[in-house]
Amino acid sequence: MTGTDTHTDSGTSTAIIDLGPQTRIVARLAAGVRDEQFGDRTPCPAYAVRNLLGHLTGLAAAFRDAARKELGPTTDTPPDSGVPDIGPGWREELPRVLDELAEAWRDPAAWTGMTRAGGVDLPGEVAAAVAIDELVVHGWDLARATGQEYVPDPAALQVCHAFVVEVAADPSGGGGIFGPVVPVPPEAPLLDRAIGLSGRDPGWTREGA
């Protein structure tokens, strides 16, 4: 499937997008990481670059299996269970798992019914939104940490922004999904607004903004 489609589940119409453009962007960013950057800081305070790459590998596998409704260790492990890391074959593994993630979400059935991710049961369409948010925000993290240019897939960015707006507005959610919301001017670019709502400072740099 390419472009967008819609399905109706419990009366709610949700856009189905192809995650492939965004997963390919993340794969290109990962391919641009140099070995000497593995220990560099990232916008994720607890993660160095190598930990962020390990997290991307794990979340890609988890949300791939969530789309397939193949519930088990990858979907049941909470995201705060430990600091992830890369293995010796990560340069081959990460792009492969990202491709599998995108392919799994091309099945309209992935967006319906219930599934699980991070040990939490949730509707398929919500799991898709979380996966897209992770790809967009952590793509930005990786680009900023390694000095690479970043332009996310426009469709994925729209979904990410809508998701973080909803999360930030939920009084029970504690603000941004990755930390307290960082105020951003309403006229700022959509990516900056999404990053601020996620709990990141859009002005973060490797040099220590």
Side-chain angles (χ1 to χ4, degrees), residues 54-149:
H55 178 61
L56 281 163
T57 303
L59 76 86
F63 284 98
R64 173 201 63 195
D65 294 345
R68 295 172 175 174
K69 310 293 198 297
E70 295 178 355
L71 308 185
T74 60
T75 62
D76 293 352
T77 303
D80 58 356
S81 60
V83 177
D85 202 351
I86 50 174
W90 77 270
R91 289 193 183 274
E92 295 74 33
E93 182 184 8
L94 179 53
R96 173 181 58 79
V97 179
L98 285 168
D99 282 346
E100 293 170 352
L101 167 67
E103 183 59 33
W105 286 103
R106 291 188 180 108
D107 182 354
W111 299 69
T112 64
M114 295 295 293
T115 188
R116 185 180 305 140
V120 177
D121 292 327
L122 67 173
E125 60 186 357
V126 175
V130 176
I132 292 166
D133 175 72
E134 293 271 349
L135 291 168
V136 171
V137 173
H138 287 315
W140 181 87
D141 289 335
L142 186 59
R144 283 300 176 96
T146 57
Q148 299 184 68
E149 185 176 353

